[in-house]
């Protein structure tokens, strides 16, 4: 599920990072993890996924031949594909048709075995973490630079900026399912590298046009489409990489560590972007983002992941198989439905209603910048906490962690002091990153690796589906009923959607394996 922050080169931040887990700003893997607002880069940037997708929406979101994690003869663990409650016959579903045989990942440690080696001793994990950290740092520059680059051009208007951003966002949503099919058909690291090259070309072209002063609107829109396409290809591939390079017992630790790096680099990128734009100009900031794509592609090239052996099938058949795997798990679609409402509410708040309220009652841009920064710092704290948290019912804890997302919306509606809203936004960022890590880990553990990218693409698609509508109607609703009432409506919708997800028995009862809990 994707949370709004910025779907990771997540964007899709999207960390950009899968869609249900990011509420502070963009993706690392699943859309359920990115909820803070649509990113200016790729979906994979969302540090968290769909909640991260909200982050992705505001920017909708990717991630990891030596294997220090273990290369012995212990058989790789079998990932459950029956969801919660398979012992009662009402689980997330088995028997959805033949599934391609997944490529075994690194073996898990048997009960009583010595602790697994540190992930930082695994060359492939270090390459992946470095690639994501550098890429998201560059995207932090792009989030600020792209808007100022467009607005600084002769004849620029807010409408032109909206058009360019829409050209970037549309392919991220429309092509995300195609990206999932491709990611399950070819080497995921190769697809991520291709996506990074596309991103480098898009932002390099935008930088060149801005620096030369010759930037036709049509050309900028076409390059924005290329950037959005790169995000749509990257995010599903990233979702399936961690299980190929990390033992199952270290999924949560790996996801959390990736998010620490991505969240920290996003905060740094956002902090430096304003100085860079003011000192050197938006064109050079865009060029830095293009360079970060190039460096990321070079690092990801070192992963050299293999392609799973699978029977020949058509693209439509692959989409159907992915849909069957998605819809057969009640816990999965229940949380994605929750994320769809929550991401739309977060995107509306971060993109339209929050800035309006800040301008009218909180003192303007300075107050809003402090509020957004508090949320970003919260995501770093949340990712650090998620490295250590161990819970027996990960989905129950993850879904409950979304309740704090509604608090800043309610406080904005109540005209609370800025410092109180900042504290609530910090807690919101912390809780959504915990959600993101638990969601990504559950996806990787419960979904067969051979279809993980396709299932993740449905996660991203569903989590982001209502975000464009939310952004579209937020302004007119605020004008009709008032900004405070609209913010209160967003808070109420988030709470109701979260209670709705808790009605699912599988969400409440799905348990983590002993080695993960």
């Amino acid at each position: 599920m994707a949370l709004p922050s910025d779907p990771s080169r997540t964007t899709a931040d999207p960390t950009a990072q899968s869609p249900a887990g990011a509420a502070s700003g963009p993706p690392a893997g699943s859309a359920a993890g990115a909820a803070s607002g649509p990113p200016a880069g790729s979906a994979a940037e969302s540090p968290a996924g769909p909640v991260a997708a909200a982050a992705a929406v505001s920017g909708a979101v990717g991630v990891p031949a030596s294997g220090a994690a273990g290369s012995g003869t212990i058989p790789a663990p079998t990932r459950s594909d029956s969801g919660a409650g398979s012992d009662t016959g009402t689980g997330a579903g088995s028997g959805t048709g033949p599934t391609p045989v997944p490529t075994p990942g690194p073996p898990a440690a048997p009960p009583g075995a010595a602790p697994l080696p540190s992930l930082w001793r695994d060359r492939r994990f270090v390459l992946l973490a470095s690639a994501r950290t550098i890429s998201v740092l560059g995207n932090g520059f792009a989030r600020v630079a792209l808007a100022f680059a467009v607005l600084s051009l002769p004849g620029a208007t807010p409408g032109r900026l909206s058009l360019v951003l829409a050209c970037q966002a549309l392919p991220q949503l429309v092509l995300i399912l195609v990206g999932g099919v491709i990611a399950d058909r070819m080497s995921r690291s190769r697809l991520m590298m291709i996506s990074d090259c596309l991103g480098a070309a898009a932002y390099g072209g935008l930088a060149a046009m801005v620096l030369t002063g010759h930037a036709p609107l049509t050309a900028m829109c076409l390059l924005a489409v290329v950037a959005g396409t790169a995000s749509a290809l990257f995010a599903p591939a990233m979702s399936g990489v961690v299980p190929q390079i990390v033992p199952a017992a270290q999924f949560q630790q790996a996801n959390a560590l990736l998010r620490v790096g991505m969240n920290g680099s996003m905060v740094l990128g956002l902090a430096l972007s304003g100085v860079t734009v003011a000192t050197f100009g938006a064109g050079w900031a865009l060029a830095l983002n293009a360079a970060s794509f190039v460096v990321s592609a070079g690092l990801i090239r070192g992963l050299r992941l293999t392609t799973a052996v699978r029977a020949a099938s058509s693209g439509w058949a692959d989409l159907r198989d992915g849909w069957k795997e998605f819809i057969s798990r009640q816990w999965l679609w229940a949380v994605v439905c929750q994320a769809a409402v929550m991401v739309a509410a977060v995107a509306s708040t971060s993109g339209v209603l929050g800035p309006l309220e800040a301008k009218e009652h909180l003192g303007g841009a300075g107050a809003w910048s402090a509020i957004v920064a508090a949320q970003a710092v919260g995501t770093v704290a949340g990712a650090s906490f998620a490295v250590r948290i161990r819970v027996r019912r990960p989905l129950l804890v993850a879904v409950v962690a979304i309740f704090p997302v509604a608090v800043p919306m309610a406080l904005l509606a109540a005209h609370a002091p800025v410092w109180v809203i900042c504290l609530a936004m910090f807690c919101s960022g912390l809780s959504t990153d915990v959600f993101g890590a638990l969601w990504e880990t559950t996806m990787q553990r419960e979904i067969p690796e051979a279809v993980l990218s396709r299932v993740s693409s449905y996660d991203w698609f569903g989590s982001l589906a209502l975000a464009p509508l939310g952004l579209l109607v937020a302004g007119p609703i605020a004008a009709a009923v008032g900004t405070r009432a609209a913010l209160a409506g967003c808070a109420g919708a988030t709470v109701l959607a979260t209670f709705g997800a808790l009605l699912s028995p599988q969400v409440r009862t799905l348990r983590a394996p002993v080695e993960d809990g």
Side-chain angles (χ1 to χ4, degrees), residues 80-137:
S80 165
D81 61 358
S82 59
S86 58
D87 55 336
T88 65
T90 61
S94 54
T96 58
T99 298
V101 178
T103 302
L116 290 166
S118 168
L119 288 172
W120 297 119
R121 296 182 180 179
D122 186 323
R123 173 178 170 273
R124 293 191 298 176
F125 180 79
V126 171
L127 286 173
L128 177 62
S130 301
R132 296 308 303 130
T133 299
I134 292 170
S135 180
V136 174
L137 176 65

Side-chain angles (χ1 to χ4, degrees), residues 345-452:
V346 172
S348 299
T349 299
S350 62
V352 179
L353 302 175
L356 281 175
E357 180 66 15
K359 181 179 179 181
E360 294 171 0
H361 299 105
L362 300 179
W368 185 245
S369 296
I371 291 169
V372 172
Q375 185 183 33
V377 174
T379 65
V380 177
S384 301
F385 177 64
V387 173
R388 300 171 178 82
I389 188 174
R390 294 293 180 270
V391 295
R392 294 296 296 132
R393 298 182 182 182
L395 284 184
L396 177 62
V397 174
V399 170
V400 170
I402 294 302
F403 279 117
V405 174
V407 177
M409 303 174 191
L411 291 174
L412 283 166
H415 291 175
V418 172
W419 72 268
V420 176
I421 300 172
C422 286
L423 179 61
M425 285 292 268
F426 174 87
C427 295
S428 172
L430 188 152
S431 64
T432 53
D433 243 60
V434 170
F435 169 94
L438 294 175
W439 175 257
E440 291 161 10
T441 300
T442 302
M443 288 272 291
Q444 292 159 358
R445 189 181 62 239
E446 299 292 332
I447 307 298
E449 187 268 323
V451 295
L452 181 55

Side-chain angles (χ1 to χ4, degrees), residues 146-166 215 217 220-221:
L146 183 58
F148 281 93
V150 175
L151 293 175
S152 66
L153 295 173
T157 64
R160 287 195 172 192
L161 175 59
S162 295
L163 179 60
V164 172
L165 294 179
L217 180 61
M220 296 195 77
C221 288

Side-chain angles (χ1 to χ4, degrees), residues 333-352:
W333 55 258
V335 176
V336 169
C337 288
Q338 172 206 16
V341 176
M342 184 271 300
V343 170
V346 172
S348 299
T349 299
S350 62
V352 179

Side-chain angles (χ1 to χ4, degrees), residues 261-367:
M262 290 191 295
N263 292 338
S265 62
M266 177 58 73
V267 172
L268 180 62
L270 290 172
L272 296 177
S273 59
V275 177
T276 303
V277 171
T279 305
F280 302 103
W284 287 111
L286 291 172
L288 285 174
N289 189 38
S292 75
F293 276 102
V294 174
V295 175
S296 175
L299 292 169
I300 288 173
R301 186 174 183 272
L303 297 181
R304 302 184 184 278
L305 300 179
T306 58
T307 306
V309 178
R310 48 176 294 171
S313 61
S314 68
W316 287 113
D318 285 348
L319 280 175
R320 286 196 303 270
D321 289 343
W323 174 252
K324 289 178 182 178
E325 295 283 353
F326 175 84
I327 202 64
S328 67
R329 293 166 171 80
Q330 184 191 79
W331 61 266
L332 180 54
W333 55 258
V335 176
V336 169
C337 288
Q338 172 206 16
V341 176
M342 184 271 300
V343 170
V346 172
S348 299
T349 299
S350 62
V352 179
L353 302 175
L356 281 175
E357 180 66 15
K359 181 179 179 181
E360 294 171 0
H361 299 105
L362 300 179

